[in-house]
Amino acid sequence: MLTGDPGDPFAPQRTYPDLSPNVTEVEAYPPVLGYDEATQTFTYGPNDLYFDTHARNLGSVPLDLVADDPSNVNGSSVSQCVSWTTNLGCRERVTVGGFVWHDIHTHFHFEDFASYELRRLRRNGTVDYRQRGLIATSEKVSFCLLDSIRIRDDSSPVLRYTSCTHAQEGISPGWADIYGSNLEGQSVSLAGVSDGRYALVINMNPGGHVLETDATNNRVVAIVEMTNLATPEPTVSIVDRFWN
């Protein structure tokens, strides 16, 4: 295929990445709410569900985001590369969002990149997407976007995005950015939840700000079975997983 042929990802027309989330690990335990120095005891809250998120780029070009004002990254608008040369140089950019400094993670995040929900299942086993089916939710989650792990054999073995402390972030094609279950923001409350099966729903790019080739695979649903939730040591496992 020659550059410029129909279907060539490096032709002058716009070409976008393809984002799709994944989740591989779940666990539950009570968060620490405080510590009493007089009694030397911790105070714990109800169990929370903790999970990882894999932000995968299944496309043929990077998700490449840069601050429009590199001298003032915090609060700067952010532009996405939408047209590429054959050596992955950027030809054209479109403003798609903003960066914000994350005090706990101590680096810059791209805002509103994901959202998390815990939902009930209907009697037939399908996810209840009605309001009554929603148990817990997160605010839209910001991400530090970088290359964490190769997910495709044909992807470049060289990391392109390695830091979130500067004005550029992204995910290379065939790579994923992994947010572990131990990171702040990777949890939803299980307060009032009984033992049983539930749907953990991870939505990527929920506002549609990032331009993509395919938005039909931006939601992963993990069917999670939870037992012993009334104790400090519950058991949690993923029994099914699908994308829609």
Side-chain angles (χ1 to χ4, degrees), residues 21-37:
N22 196 12
V23 53
T24 64
E25 299 176 354
V26 291
E27 55 185 332
Y29 51 85
V32 176
L33 300 182
Y35 178 73
D36 188 325
E37 293 187 0

PDB file of all heavy atoms in Angstrom, residues 21-37:
ATOM      1  N   PRO A  21     -11.519   0.095  26.907  1.00  0.00           N
ATOM      2  CA  PRO A  21     -11.056  -0.225  28.255  1.00  0.00           C
ATOM      3  C   PRO A  21     -11.040  -1.724  28.519  1.00  0.00           C
ATOM      4  O   PRO A  21     -11.672  -2.515  27.804  1.00  0.00           O
ATOM      5  CB  PRO A  21     -12.096   0.453  29.147  1.00  0.00           C
ATOM      6  CG  PRO A  21     -13.358   0.367  28.336  1.00  0.00           C
ATOM      7  CD  PRO A  21     -12.933   0.508  26.906  1.00  0.00           C
ATOM      8  N   ASN A  22     -10.317  -2.116  29.548  1.00  0.00           N
ATOM      9  CA  ASN A  22     -10.347  -3.488  30.043  1.00  0.00           C
ATOM     10  C   ASN A  22     -10.164  -3.443  31.557  1.00  0.00           C
ATOM     11  O   ASN A  22      -9.616  -2.467  32.095  1.00  0.00           O
ATOM     12  CB  ASN A  22      -9.255  -4.342  29.404  1.00  0.00           C
ATOM     13  CG  ASN A  22      -9.503  -5.828  29.597  1.00  0.00           C
ATOM     14  OD1 ASN A  22     -10.592  -6.239  30.008  1.00  0.00           O
ATOM     15  ND2 ASN A  22      -8.515  -6.650  29.307  1.00  0.00           N
ATOM     16  N   VAL A  23     -10.626  -4.480  32.245  1.00  0.00           N
ATOM     17  CA  VAL A  23     -10.429  -4.624  33.674  1.00  0.00           C
ATOM     18  C   VAL A  23     -10.046  -6.073  33.940  1.00  0.00           C
ATOM     19  O   VAL A  23     -10.661  -6.992  33.398  1.00  0.00           O
ATOM     20  CB  VAL A  23     -11.700  -4.227  34.466  1.00  0.00           C
ATOM     21  CG1 VAL A  23     -12.928  -4.964  33.976  1.00  0.00           C
ATOM     22  CG2 VAL A  23     -11.501  -4.439  35.954  1.00  0.00           C
ATOM     23  N   THR A  24      -9.002  -6.289  34.726  1.00  0.00           N
ATOM     24  CA  THR A  24      -8.498  -7.647  34.965  1.00  0.00           C
ATOM     25  C   THR A  24      -8.461  -8.026  36.435  1.00  0.00           C
ATOM     26  O   THR A  24      -8.403  -9.207  36.760  1.00  0.00           O
ATOM     27  CB  THR A  24      -7.084  -7.804  34.381  1.00  0.00           C
ATOM     28  OG1 THR A  24      -6.181  -6.930  35.075  1.00  0.00           O
ATOM     29  CG2 THR A  24      -7.067  -7.486  32.889  1.00  0.00           C
ATOM     30  N   GLU A  25      -8.460  -7.035  37.332  1.00  0.00           N
ATOM     31  CA  GLU A  25      -8.320  -7.324  38.759  1.00  0.00           C
ATOM     32  C   GLU A  25      -9.394  -6.591  39.554  1.00  0.00           C
ATOM     33  O   GLU A  25      -9.663  -5.410  39.315  1.00  0.00           O
ATOM     34  CB  GLU A  25      -6.942  -6.878  39.273  1.00  0.00           C
ATOM     35  CG  GLU A  25      -5.772  -7.576  38.607  1.00  0.00           C
ATOM     36  CD  GLU A  25      -4.438  -7.023  39.080  1.00  0.00           C
ATOM     37  OE1 GLU A  25      -4.449  -6.026  39.835  1.00  0.00           O
ATOM     38  OE2 GLU A  25      -3.402  -7.575  38.702  1.00  0.00           O
ATOM     39  N   VAL A  26     -10.006  -7.304  40.500  1.00  0.00           N
ATOM     40  CA  VAL A  26     -10.957  -6.689  41.436  1.00  0.00           C
ATOM     41  C   VAL A  26     -10.663  -7.208  42.838  1.00  0.00           C
ATOM     42  O   VAL A  26     -10.223  -8.346  43.014  1.00  0.00           O
ATOM     43  CB  VAL A  26     -12.423  -7.004  41.065  1.00  0.00           C
ATOM     44  CG1 VAL A  26     -12.826  -6.309  39.779  1.00  0.00           C
ATOM     45  CG2 VAL A  26     -12.645  -8.507  40.959  1.00  0.00           C
ATOM     46  N   GLU A  27     -10.890  -6.365  43.823  1.00  0.00           N
ATOM     47  CA  GLU A  27     -10.759  -6.753  45.221  1.00  0.00           C
ATOM     48  C   GLU A  27     -11.608  -5.815  46.060  1.00  0.00           C
ATOM     49  O   GLU A  27     -12.007  -4.736  45.600  1.00  0.00           O
ATOM     50  CB  GLU A  27      -9.298  -6.718  45.679  1.00  0.00           C
ATOM     51  CG  GLU A  27      -8.606  -5.391  45.454  1.00  0.00           C
ATOM     52  CD  GLU A  27      -7.129  -5.434  45.805  1.00  0.00           C
ATOM     53  OE1 GLU A  27      -6.754  -6.240  46.675  1.00  0.00           O
ATOM     54  OE2 GLU A  27      -6.355  -4.663  45.211  1.00  0.00           O
ATOM     55  N   ALA A  28     -11.904  -6.226  47.290  1.00  0.00           N
ATOM     56  CA  ALA A  28     -12.709  -5.395  48.175  1.00  0.00           C
ATOM     57  C   ALA A  28     -12.121  -5.432  49.571  1.00  0.00           C
ATOM     58  O   ALA A  28     -11.676  -6.485  50.044  1.00  0.00           O
ATOM     59  CB  ALA A  28     -14.161  -5.880  48.197  1.00  0.00           C
ATOM     60  N   TYR A  29     -12.096  -4.272  50.203  1.00  0.00           N
ATOM     61  CA  TYR A  29     -11.649  -4.176  51.586  1.00  0.00           C
ATOM     62  C   TYR A  29     -12.100  -2.833  52.138  1.00  0.00           C
ATOM     63  O   TYR A  29     -12.438  -1.911  51.382  1.00  0.00           O
ATOM     64  CB  TYR A  29     -10.130  -4.344  51.710  1.00  0.00           C
ATOM     65  CG  TYR A  29      -9.296  -3.478  50.812  1.00  0.00           C
ATOM     66  CD1 TYR A  29      -8.944  -2.177  51.174  1.00  0.00           C
ATOM     67  CD2 TYR A  29      -8.834  -3.958  49.582  1.00  0.00           C
ATOM     68  CE1 TYR A  29      -8.163  -1.392  50.361  1.00  0.00           C
ATOM     69  CE2 TYR A  29      -8.053  -3.171  48.756  1.00  0.00           C
ATOM     70  CZ  TYR A  29      -7.723  -1.893  49.155  1.00  0.00           C
ATOM     71  OH  TYR A  29      -6.948  -1.107  48.334  1.00  0.00           O
ATOM     72  N   PRO A  30     -12.137  -2.686  53.468  1.00  0.00           N
ATOM     73  CA  PRO A  30     -12.617  -1.433  54.065  1.00  0.00           C
ATOM     74  C   PRO A  30     -11.548  -0.355  54.040  1.00  0.00           C
ATOM     75  O   PRO A  30     -10.392  -0.606  54.406  1.00  0.00           O
ATOM     76  CB  PRO A  30     -12.972  -1.835  55.499  1.00  0.00           C
ATOM     77  CG  PRO A  30     -12.097  -3.013  55.786  1.00  0.00           C
ATOM     78  CD  PRO A  30     -11.902  -3.729  54.488  1.00  0.00           C
ATOM     79  N   PRO A  31     -11.881   0.856  53.616  1.00  0.00           N
ATOM     80  CA  PRO A  31     -10.912   1.950  53.623  1.00  0.00           C
ATOM     81  C   PRO A  31     -10.694   2.479  55.036  1.00  0.00           C
ATOM     82  O   PRO A  31     -11.576   2.418  55.893  1.00  0.00           O
ATOM     83  CB  PRO A  31     -11.579   3.016  52.751  1.00  0.00           C
ATOM     84  CG  PRO A  31     -13.037   2.762  52.936  1.00  0.00           C
ATOM     85  CD  PRO A  31     -13.184   1.264  53.072  1.00  0.00           C
ATOM     86  N   VAL A  32      -9.497   2.984  55.275  1.00  0.00           N
ATOM     87  CA  VAL A  32      -9.179   3.586  56.563  1.00  0.00           C
ATOM     88  C   VAL A  32      -9.734   5.011  56.602  1.00  0.00           C
ATOM     89  O   VAL A  32      -9.427   5.832  55.740  1.00  0.00           O
ATOM     90  CB  VAL A  32      -7.660   3.608  56.808  1.00  0.00           C
ATOM     91  CG1 VAL A  32      -7.339   4.322  58.118  1.00  0.00           C
ATOM     92  CG2 VAL A  32      -7.102   2.196  56.822  1.00  0.00           C
ATOM     93  N   LEU A  33     -10.565   5.292  57.604  1.00  0.00           N
ATOM     94  CA  LEU A  33     -11.163   6.617  57.742  1.00  0.00           C
ATOM     95  C   LEU A  33     -10.393   7.513  58.703  1.00  0.00           C
ATOM     96  O   LEU A  33     -10.445   8.740  58.596  1.00  0.00           O
ATOM     97  CB  LEU A  33     -12.612   6.500  58.208  1.00  0.00           C
ATOM     98  CG  LEU A  33     -13.564   5.720  57.300  1.00  0.00           C
ATOM     99  CD1 LEU A  33     -14.974   5.746  57.877  1.00  0.00           C
ATOM    100  CD2 LEU A  33     -13.555   6.280  55.891  1.00  0.00           C
ATOM    101  N   GLY A  34      -9.693   6.902  59.658  1.00  0.00           N
ATOM    102  CA  GLY A  34      -8.968   7.721  60.624  1.00  0.00           C
ATOM    103  C   GLY A  34      -8.165   6.874  61.588  1.00  0.00           C
ATOM    104  O   GLY A  34      -8.235   5.633  61.562  1.00  0.00           O
ATOM    105  N   TYR A  35      -7.406   7.550  62.429  1.00  0.00           N
ATOM    106  CA  TYR A  35      -6.563   6.861  63.418  1.00  0.00           C
ATOM    107  C   TYR A  35      -6.640   7.618  64.735  1.00  0.00           C
ATOM    108  O   TYR A  35      -6.469   8.846  64.784  1.00  0.00           O
ATOM    109  CB  TYR A  35      -5.116   6.796  62.932  1.00  0.00           C
ATOM    110  CG  TYR A  35      -4.171   6.145  63.921  1.00  0.00           C
ATOM    111  CD1 TYR A  35      -4.205   4.770  64.138  1.00  0.00           C
ATOM    112  CD2 TYR A  35      -3.248   6.911  64.623  1.00  0.00           C
ATOM    113  CE1 TYR A  35      -3.343   4.167  65.043  1.00  0.00           C
ATOM    114  CE2 TYR A  35      -2.376   6.311  65.528  1.00  0.00           C
ATOM    115  CZ  TYR A  35      -2.434   4.943  65.726  1.00  0.00           C
ATOM    116  OH  TYR A  35      -1.579   4.344  66.622  1.00  0.00           O
ATOM    117  N   ASP A  36      -6.926   6.879  65.821  1.00  0.00           N
ATOM    118  CA  ASP A  36      -7.004   7.448  67.159  1.00  0.00           C
ATOM    119  C   ASP A  36      -5.674   7.198  67.867  1.00  0.00           C
ATOM    120  O   ASP A  36      -5.351   6.047  68.205  1.00  0.00           O
ATOM    121  CB  ASP A  36      -8.162   6.802  67.932  1.00  0.00           C
ATOM    122  CG  ASP A  36      -8.422   7.497  69.262  1.00  0.00           C
ATOM    123  OD1 ASP A  36      -7.453   7.954  69.905  1.00  0.00           O
ATOM    124  OD2 ASP A  36      -9.597   7.570  69.666  1.00  0.00           O
ATOM    125  N   GLU A  37      -4.898   8.264  68.078  1.00  0.00           N
ATOM    126  CA  GLU A  37      -3.585   8.102  68.700  1.00  0.00           C
ATOM    127  C   GLU A  37      -3.697   7.655  70.152  1.00  0.00           C
ATOM    128  O   GLU A  37      -2.833   6.930  70.652  1.00  0.00           O
ATOM    129  CB  GLU A  37      -2.801   9.409  68.616  1.00  0.00           C
ATOM    130  CG  GLU A  37      -2.416   9.800  67.196  1.00  0.00           C
ATOM    131  CD  GLU A  37      -1.503  11.008  67.164  1.00  0.00           C
ATOM    132  OE1 GLU A  37      -1.175  11.524  68.253  1.00  0.00           O
ATOM    133  OE2 GLU A  37      -1.120  11.427  66.057  1.00  0.00           O
TER     134      GLU A  37
END
